[in-house]
Amino acid sequence: MNNLYILILAGGSGTRLWPWSREELPKQFLSLAGEESLFQQTVRRMTKIAQPSNLYIVASDQCSALLRHQMKTVVKFGHDPIIREPMAKNTCPAIALGLAYLLKSGADPEDLIFVSPSDPHSKRRRGL
C-alpha cells in the first residue's frame, strides 16, 4: 500500500488582503473564518486524511516561528514538518522543493502526494 503525504504550501507575501494581511502576518495566519487561522484550519483538515507524521509545510524561514506557534495548538508533530524555502519563487518551485525533500527523506516514488494551499476556506453547506 502506498503512503499518503501532504504538502501544505504556506508561502505568501501578505499583499493580497492589505491592510489586514502584511509581510509580517500573511493572510494564512489570520483568523478570517472562525477562531483558528486559515492555516490552522487547513492543518486540521489534512490530519483527517493523513497521519501527522506524513504532513509537511513548505514555507520561508520568515514564517517558521509563526508556523510553529500556530501548529502546536492544532496537532503534535513527532518530526520537524517545515521544509524551508531558500527563497520565495512561487507555487511550482515550492512543490518541486517539497517533492525533492520527501524523496530524499525516504518517500517512495509510488507514494501519493496531496498538495494544498495553506489558506483555503471551506464551509460545509447543509443539505448538500
Side-chain angles (χ1 to χ4, degrees), residues 4 12 19 21 24 41 51 59 61 77-78 87 103 106 108 110 114:
L4 171 62
S21 176
E24 306 82 41
Q41 291 173 19
Q51 296 297 319
D61 263 339
F77 288 94
M87 63 181 64
L103 288 171
D108 188 281
E110 297 297 317
F114 183 87

Side-chain angles (χ1 to χ4, degrees), residues 20 27 29-30 36 43 47 58 72 87 98 117 124:
W20 302 282
K27 74 176 176 183
F29 301 114
L30 298 174
E36 293 184 323
V43 170
T47 56
V58 181
K72 69 181 172 184
M87 63 181 64
R124 185 178 289 177

Side-chain angles (χ1 to χ4, degrees), residues 2-3 9 12-13 19 21 30 32 35-37 51-52 56 61 66 70 78 90 92 110-111 114-115 120-121 123 127:
N2 293 356
N3 288 314
L9 305 179
S13 58
S21 176
L30 298 174
L32 298 174
E35 291 184 25
E36 293 184 323
S37 72
Q51 296 297 319
Y56 292 87
D61 263 339
L66 193 50
Q70 289 201 359
N90 292 318
C92 188
E110 297 297 317
D111 286 339
F114 183 87
V115 179
H121 173 62
K123 184 175 180 181

Side-chain angles (χ1 to χ4, degrees), residues 8-21:
I8 297 175
L9 305 179
S13 58
T15 59
R16 292 201 176 118
L17 284 178
W18 185 89
W20 302 282
S21 176

Side-chain angles (χ1 to χ4, degrees), residues 88-109:
K89 288 291 184 184
N90 292 318
T91 304
C92 188
I95 293 170
L97 176 67
L99 294 175
Y101 180 90
L102 291 177
L103 288 171
K104 186 176 178 183
S105 299
D108 188 281

Side-chain angles (χ1 to χ4, degrees), residues 32-82:
L32 298 174
E35 291 184 25
E36 293 184 323
S37 72
L38 297 173
F39 169 72
Q40 289 169 312
Q41 291 173 19
T42 299
V43 170
R44 192 171 300 284
R45 276 193 304 274
M46 294 303 118
T47 56
K48 291 180 181 179
I49 62 172
Q51 296 297 319
S53 60
N54 286 0
L55 192 145
Y56 292 87
I57 298 114
V58 181
S60 68
D61 263 339
Q62 294 171 259
C63 297
S64 292
L66 193 50
L67 282 167
R68 287 186 198 295
H69 174 73
Q70 289 201 359
M71 285 185 307
K72 69 181 172 184
T73 65
V74 179
V75 67
K76 300 276 188 249
F77 288 94
H79 68 293
D80 182 3
I82 301 173

